[in-house]
């Protein structure tokens, strides 16, 4: 069957309720359609329209009294010690808090049918997929009375136009952390991961988007490139770096940087700040070729059972003192403008000049599968 015919058949099935919107999205993308074309098709289909209207009505309705529990799934080392206990005490809610190390780990768990989470915290580029595959619910703004505290920079993000599905958590960059007492000349380039002098003393993140993205930037390309030649080059560079690396490790590398088992790591700015509190001989650099800037956003999975508690949690995080305590503990930037005066060491949002070297990740659409394949090949090389 031609692709066009196959697509028409899929649209027919969607309209008659033969397949779910989620299956439709995956199968249409399998036929080579971009997410935005799939989105356009969904809105042209009656079923999609009905679903969205119903969703909109639910988002505006009453949520009922606060539930007794809340299940949160967030990145590790990304919260202050008292954020959860204070919420539990004030709201009488028992919080279960699980952690992940990458967006891909979290999405894989969700797509495998993990239900039970009320809050997840993906990076912006993941949002289009979560919305298109119907994995998250729109939020009921009525319960987000502290929304006005969000800095205008973090409102109406390209990943969530109209702020319908998310509340910003924190933001940061993915550069290089290194031990200044072990590495004699300052590091300024991704080229360091090819340097045999540091063999076995270096790590890169356990995150395909970040590792491939870093080597794309190294060769002067966008870290969102889908050009096969660019990707082949990045793959070759990543494989060339592999013998010099001790491991692919993200947040948990901090202990090894502190002890000196590892000297140089691809790492986020805030996690470096956390490690620096215990090991002052640590520096963080944004390589001259540039790197990722990201913002992580709270959202509510479709399967969430504790929906009122989820909204109260997001509204609580938007308080100035709670938002400031988060950033003071994690070293990341706060999207909360009202928290600005309460920050110990504010991370200023990058200037225009700095933003030229920083790049937000975007959803790669059907090229996600190609990237996944390349990452698998790098890891097994
Ligand atoms: C984890 C914080 C990093 C989040 N410690 C990356 N988006």
């Amino acid at each position: 069957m031609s692709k066009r015919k196959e697509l028409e058949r899929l649209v027919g099935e969607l309209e008659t309720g033969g397949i779910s919107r989620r299956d439709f999205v995956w199968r249409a993308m399998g036929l080579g359609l971009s997410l935005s074309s799939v989105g356009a098709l969904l809105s042209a289909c009656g079923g999609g329209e009905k679903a969205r209207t119903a969703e909109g009505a639910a988002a505006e309705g009453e949520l009922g009294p606060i539930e007794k529990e809340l299940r949160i799934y967030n990145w590790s080392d990304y919260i202050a010690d008292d954020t959860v206990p204070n919420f539990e005490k004030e709201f009488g809610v028992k919080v279960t808090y699980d952690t992940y190390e990458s967006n891909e780990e979290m999405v894989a768990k969700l797509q495998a049918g993990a239900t039970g989470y009320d809050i997840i915290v993906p990076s912006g580029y993941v949002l289009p997929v979560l919305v298109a595959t119907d994995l998250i619910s729109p939020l009921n703004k009525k319960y987000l009375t502290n929304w006005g505290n969000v800095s205008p920079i973090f409102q109406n993000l390209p990943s969530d136009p109209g702020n319908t599905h998310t509340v910003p958590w924190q933001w940061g960059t993915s550069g290089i952390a290194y031990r200044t007492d072990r590495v004699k000349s300052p590091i300024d380039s991704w080229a360091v991961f090819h340097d045999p002098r540091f063999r076995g003393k270096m790590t890169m993140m356990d995150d395909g988007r970040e590792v491939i993205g870093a080597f794309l930037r190294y060769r002067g390309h966008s870290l969102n490139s889908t050009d096969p030649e660019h990707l082949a080059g990045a793959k070759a560079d990543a494989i060339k770096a592999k013998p010099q690396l001790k491991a692919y490790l993200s947040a948990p590398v901090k202990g090894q940087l502190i002890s000196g088992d590892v000297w140089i790591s691809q790492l986020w700015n805030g996690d470096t700040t956390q490690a620096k509190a215990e090991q002052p001989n640590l520096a963080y650099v944004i390589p001259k070729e540039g790197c990722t800037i990201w913002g992580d956003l709270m959202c509510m999975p479709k399967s969430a059972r504790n929906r009122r508690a989820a909204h109260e949690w997001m509204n609580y995080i938007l308080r100035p003192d709670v938002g400031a305590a988060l950033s003071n503990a994690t070293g990341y930037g706060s999207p909360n403008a009202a928290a600005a005066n309460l920050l110990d060491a504010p991370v200023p949002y990058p200037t225009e000049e700095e933003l030229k070297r920083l790049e937000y990740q975007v959803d790669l659409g059907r090229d996600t599968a190609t990237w996944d394949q390349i990452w698998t090949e790098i890891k097994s090389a």
Side-chain angles (χ1 to χ4, degrees), residues 179-232:
R179 285 283 297 257
T180 49
D181 54 340
R182 307 290 168 94
V183 179
K184 293 301 170 205
S185 42
I187 291 173
D188 70 346
S189 166
W190 291 115
V192 73
F193 291 105
H194 289 155
D195 192 333
R197 287 179 300 160
F198 305 122
R199 190 183 186 108
K201 291 289 184 189
M202 302 193 286
T203 59
M204 293 189 84
M205 285 184 195
D206 190 8
D207 186 316
R209 284 296 302 249
E210 293 289 11
V211 171
I212 299 168
F215 287 115
L216 283 168
R217 294 291 314 195
Y218 174 54
R219 297 283 173 190
H221 308 306
S222 161
L223 52 78
N224 295 304
S225 179
T226 54
D227 179 317
E229 261 177 53
H230 297 173
L231 287 170

Side-chain angles (χ1 to χ4, degrees), residues 24-165:
F24 176 80
V25 172
W26 287 119
R27 285 166 61 181
M29 281 172 62
L31 289 174
L33 253 70
S34 69
L35 252 190
S36 48
S37 339
V38 177
L41 270 175
L42 274 177
S43 48
C45 291
E49 203 49 63
K50 248 182 269 149
R52 253 197 325 286
T53 317
E55 225 174 47
E60 280 150 29
E62 295 290 328
L63 283 173
I66 189 163
E67 300 83 3
K68 289 269 166 282
E69 58 169 347
L70 179 67
R71 299 179 65 97
I72 300 173
Y73 196 29
N74 196 355
W75 299 78
S76 67
D77 299 341
Y78 209 24
I79 193 162
D81 285 345
D82 60 2
T83 313
V84 166
N86 288 350
F87 178 83
E88 289 183 312
K89 227 177 290 151
E90 181 175 334
F91 290 87
V93 168
K94 168 92 192 72
V95 175
T96 308
Y97 194 87
D98 294 338
T99 59
Y100 51 87
E101 302 300 331
S102 71
N103 283 300
E104 286 62 33
E105 181 185 343
M106 183 271 291
V107 172
K109 194 157 168 186
L110 230 62
Q111 285 178 341
T115 49
Y117 288 116
D118 303 303
I119 295 279
I120 52 171
V121 193
S123 302
Y125 78 89
V126 184
L127 258 291
V129 170
L130 294 177
V131 172
T133 55
D134 220 11
L135 283 172
I136 57 171
S137 292
L139 301 177
N140 190 325
K141 296 307 272 290
K142 176 164 107 183
Y143 295 94
L144 302 177
T145 51
N146 295 326
W147 174 262
N149 292 341
V150 176
S151 153
I153 297 177
F154 295 93
Q155 296 198 22
N156 270 313
L157 296 170
S159 49
D160 186 21
N163 316 302
T164 51
H165 286 74

Side-chain angles (χ1 to χ4, degrees), residues 75-78 103 123 251 254 268 271 274 294 296 332:
W75 299 78
S76 67
D77 299 341
Y78 209 24
N103 283 300
S123 302
K254 290 192 290 299
W268 304 292
D271 279 57
Q274 292 170 37
W294 42 261
D296 295 332
Y332 286 104

Side-chain angles (χ1 to χ4, degrees), residues 254-255 257-258 267 270-280 282:
K254 290 192 290 299
L257 279 169
I258 292 166
L267 192 61
D271 279 57
T272 310
T273 305
Q274 292 170 37
K276 206 172 151 86
E278 285 176 57
Q279 174 49 265
L282 266 177

Side-chain angles (χ1 to χ4, degrees), residues 7-37:
L7 190 62
E8 281 168 7
R9 200 179 57 79
L10 275 183
V11 169
E13 276 191 56
L14 177 71
E15 279 177 337
T16 54
I19 50 170
S20 68
R21 297 176 80 206
R22 183 177 165 175
D23 285 344
F24 176 80
V25 172
W26 287 119
R27 285 166 61 181
M29 281 172 62
L31 289 174
L33 253 70
S34 69
L35 252 190
S36 48
S37 339

